[in-house]
Amino acid sequence: MKRGLRLTNKKQKTTEQAPPGPKATRTSRYAPAPRAVPAEASGEEETDELDEAATGWQQTTVKMAGLTKLVTAVVWMLVVAGPLLGFFAVALAGSSKGATSAAERSRTESAPSATGPSGFAELYVAAYLAAGEGTEDDLLPYYSEPVTLANEPGSRTASDVVTVAARQAEEGYWSVTVAARVSAKDKAGKMRDRGMHYYRVGVQVSGTPDAGGTIAPSPAAPDPAPSAVRSSPAAPASPTPTGSASAPAPRGPATLYAATSLPAEVNAPASAQHGGLVYGTGRGPSSEDPVSDTVSRFLAAYLTGQGELNRYVSPGLQVTAISPAPYESTLVTGVRDDAPQDADDTVPQDGTQRHVLVSVSATTGGQDYLLSYALTLTTRDGRWEVASFDPAPVLSPDQTGPVADDTAPTPDAPSDESSDASAETAGE
């Protein structure tokens, strides 16, 4: 009975004991055996692993604190580096400015300017033509030698004085030719226009190349480099006495000009014939020609303000009529273009361009004045339109440039007009 009872208890214990888990196996002799993990903990770890795989960051307090420190360090580095970056930027700008100034000085030294000698010669010629007996001192600012003039002061006057040629005879020594419209008294004492006269003047220059001389300019004082470190305040400078001015910083030697003789009257510079142009086809002023009709109506609106200007221009060309209108009426007297010789009056396909040279007679105050306009036309919607004002008439690709006019007098040969005028003035 007892034996049977013990068997029954043993069976009950066997039934109540939980079944053993599967036997753990090692994947490597050095790898620890996996531990049994509760089901809830296992699910949480799988969720964490999925989050880390999706974001690439391990959301832990320690790592977030490290990230905050890293960002803070980067911000402070930028704050500290700001003044240094500003210093280097200013220094780089200063060096670029210095290089540009050096390049400009180099160009100036290699090409002396004729502006100063030309202006000096113009003033000298004007003073020379107005001077006379008793006013020789008026020439001393230009020519230092003593001279004695025999003509009456004011017997000649100059207007429209302008330099027509200037070249270096030697370094710092210029030969300048000046044109002047001269009026002179006749024997009755009346001023008469003697036309354009030309005078050559030798001008010696002492100065830098930008003034026409040969003296090298003084180097400019470099700008003080900015400092990134704030220095201690300097002691205040002593006050400047009232009424005094500080001396300007030296900027090189003073520029001096001197004429080497009295002006020499010469002939006009040699004239020349211009090179060939592209306008080989003459169309005449006929209004039946589409090109002539377009340019005629366009110039009438442009010069007189009569008519709709935008109707004859291509889209994109910004042009307005001259205001106030300088002329009362216009008449086209000639049209030449670069179309083939056998081209007819038919308007070609859209987008075709043509260069034209237009001669127009403009009337105001009962007088007719001739003008010329170089234009570029283009076709659109079966008509010609003005696409642009050309800056100058278009040269032919095979032109050879200006050609000397053999019929013109040589520059140094005295003209009959100049000789007659000089003789008449001397006789007075």
Side-chain angles (χ1 to χ4, degrees), residues 382-394:
R383 65 176 181 273
W384 287 102
E385 295 177 339
V386 177
S388 67
F389 279 99
D390 293 339
V394 182

Side-chain angles (χ1 to χ4, degrees), residues 73-395:
V74 171
V75 171
W76 277 108
M77 289 176 62
L78 293 176
V79 171
V80 174
L84 297 177
L85 294 176
F87 170 77
F88 286 118
V90 173
L92 181 60
S95 62
S96 301
K97 181 179 179 180
T100 303
S101 301
E104 292 177 353
R105 287 196 299 269
S106 177
R107 286 195 297 269
T108 302
E109 294 172 2
S110 61
S113 172
T115 303
S118 299
F120 176 83
E122 292 170 6
L123 295 174
Y124 179 34
V125 168
Y128 162 76
L129 291 173
E133 184 179 5
T135 61
E136 291 88 352
D137 290 348
D138 293 345
L139 303 182
L140 289 178
Y142 310 98
Y143 181 51
S144 60
E145 295 289 334
V147 296
T148 301
L149 302 178
N151 63 288
E152 177 187 351
S155 60
R156 295 183 298 181
T157 59
S159 61
D160 302 332
V161 182
V162 62
T163 298
V164 294
R167 65 180 180 86
Q168 283 195 98
E170 298 179 13
E171 289 188 356
Y173 188 34
W174 293 79
S175 173
V176 183
T177 302
V178 176
R181 180 170 293 278
V182 176
S183 296
K185 290 181 179 180
D186 60 12
K187 293 181 179 180
K190 295 182 178 181
M191 297 295 292
R192 296 186 180 275
D193 184 13
R194 299 295 184 178
M196 295 298 298
H197 288 241
Y198 300 84
Y199 301 89
R200 180 177 297 159
V201 179
V203 179
Q204 195 171 14
V205 184
S206 175
T208 56
D210 59 352
T214 59
I215 300 176
S218 301
D223 296 332
S227 175
V229 180
R230 180 175 297 180
S231 59
S232 59
S238 58
T240 303
T242 305
S244 64
S246 59
R251 295 182 178 273
T255 302
L256 301 174
Y257 297 100
T260 55
S261 69
L262 290 174
E265 185 163 358
V266 297
N267 210 326
S271 60
Q273 298 178 355
H274 66 77
L277 304 178
V278 299
Y279 315 102
T281 303
R283 293 194 167 273
S286 174
S287 60
E288 297 180 358
D289 180 76
V291 172
S292 299
D293 183 63
T294 295
V295 298
S296 176
R297 295 177 183 274
F298 170 76
L299 291 176
Y302 180 70
L303 295 173
T304 68
Q306 301 173 8
E308 185 180 354
L309 187 62
N310 292 333
R311 180 180 178 184
Y312 307 104
V313 301
S314 298
L317 176 61
Q318 302 295 328
V319 60
T320 57
I322 300 177
S323 180
Y327 301 102
E328 302 164 2
S329 63
T330 59
L331 176 64
V332 171
T333 59
V335 178
R336 293 191 296 157
D337 62 20
D338 59 350
Q341 293 288 345
D342 56 352
D344 54 22
D345 296 343
T346 305
V347 178
Q349 62 181 356
D350 288 2
T352 302
Q353 282 194 345
R354 187 169 295 179
H355 299 287
V356 298
L357 185 62
V358 186
S359 299
V360 58
S361 176
T363 303
T364 182
Q367 301 294 324
D368 297 332
Y369 300 96
L370 291 178
L371 303 169
S372 294
Y373 287 90
L375 306 172
T376 295
L377 306 185
T378 187
T379 55
R380 186 173 69 95
D381 295 338
R383 65 176 181 273
W384 287 102
E385 295 177 339
V386 177
S388 67
F389 279 99
D390 293 339
V394 182
L395 295 173

